[in-house]
Structures are given as structure tokens and as C-alpha cells.
Amino acid sequence: YVKAVRKAGALPVLLPVVEPDDAAALLDMVDALVITGGCDVDPASYGKPPDPLLGPTDPQRDEADLAITRAAVLSNVPTLATCRGIQVLNVAMGGTLVQHIDEHMRVDLYNQDVHGVNIDAHSRLATILGTEAIGVNSMHHQVIERLGPGVRAVAHNHDGHVEAIEIDDAPAVLGVQWHPE
């Protein structure tokens, strides 16, 4: 992520895991936010019991990520949420996740197209990318189940899983399931 932010011409600032009450103050230090990939989101954060195939979780990171994500949405801070980040974004908005799907954790194909994604022609994502279809990598085993209020699915894969979301009241916030970096 650091290399990708530098390559985009920005100075990366790594934010610490903080208490939720301090999360909004972090946004005053940055011009934009990348919510990164990582471990599974703890299903307790969206009111579900753990699935036996749930991977490792970090409830402290979840709490901090959810707080800063909510603050970013509230303030419409330019935000790109990738992989775990799209999942955090959806949960922060009141949505839920499928805790395990097979055949989407393809770390061996990190820099390769694993499957196609169809993008809503009227979405900000389609405008940004200049296309309605792309190939993406796939390094996750959780996906969005139920969208949170105000969350719009703007891209899907061939299985029908959500691959990108936008937030109705925060046009500068975007989440993608793949790793664009």
C-alpha cells in the first residue's frame, strides 16, 4: 500500500490502531484514506456467531477501523476501501458478511486476473476506470452478504458477489473487493 500511495504521488501516513473516540481526529491529519486488507472482520461486529471456517480476527483493529470508517463516511473524506476494507465499510454502514466462500483466496495469482467484474455504467467507479468490465485478482474468503443502509452495490463478479460499493451520502468513498495496488 505504501508503494502504491507513493506511486500515485502522495505521501503515505500509516495510522495507528486507536481508541474509537480518537478515530475522527486522525482524519484531520490526512487528505485521503485507504482502508486496507487484512484479517477477517469479527462477526460479533455485525451481530452474527462465528462460522467454523472464519479466519483469524482482531477485534481491537475492527473497532478502530469501524470508527475511522464511520468518521470518513460522515465527513466524506476521499476513501478507497480494498478487500477487507470494503467489508469493514459495509459493516460500518450496518451491513453483514458471508464469513466464508470457497475458491476466492488466490494469493498465488496476486498480480493476475482471476475473474471478471461487471461494473454499473452509471457508477462513479465506471467513470473513474473508464470501463464497465475489468479483470481482477481475488484474495479473500469473505464477501458482502447484506448491504448496509445507504450502500449501493456497483459491481459484481460472475458468481453474483458484490465486488464494489459506493455510499449514497458520501460520494468520495468507494470500496472494492480486489487489491488494485
Side-chain angles (χ1 to χ4, degrees), residues 91-108:
V91 171
M93 298 299 294
T96 63
L97 304 176
V98 174
Q99 295 177 46
H100 179 78
I101 56 167
D102 289 325
E103 301 178 16
H104 283 261
M105 182 60 85
R106 297 301 313 265
V107 177
D108 58 319

Side-chain angles (χ1 to χ4, degrees), residues 146-181:
R146 182 181 49 79
L147 293 168
V151 177
R152 259 179 314 105
V154 296
H156 294 84
N157 65 23
H158 64 278
D159 293 334
H161 297 131
V162 174
E163 288 279 342
I165 58 175
E166 296 177 355
I167 308 301
D168 289 336
D169 293 332
V173 178
L174 170 68
V176 297
Q177 186 58 70
W178 62 91
H179 282 262
E181 72 278 3

Side-chain angles (χ1 to χ4, degrees), residues 18-25 67:
V18 298
E19 294 297 321
D21 291 343
D22 297 327

Side-chain angles (χ1 to χ4, degrees), residues 15-45:
L15 301 178
V17 173
V18 298
E19 294 297 321
D21 291 343
D22 297 327
L26 289 176
L27 294 178
D28 292 336
M29 298 181 206
V30 299
D31 295 320
L33 181 65
V34 177
I35 306 166
T36 64
C39 60
D40 287 352
V41 178
D42 188 335
S45 62

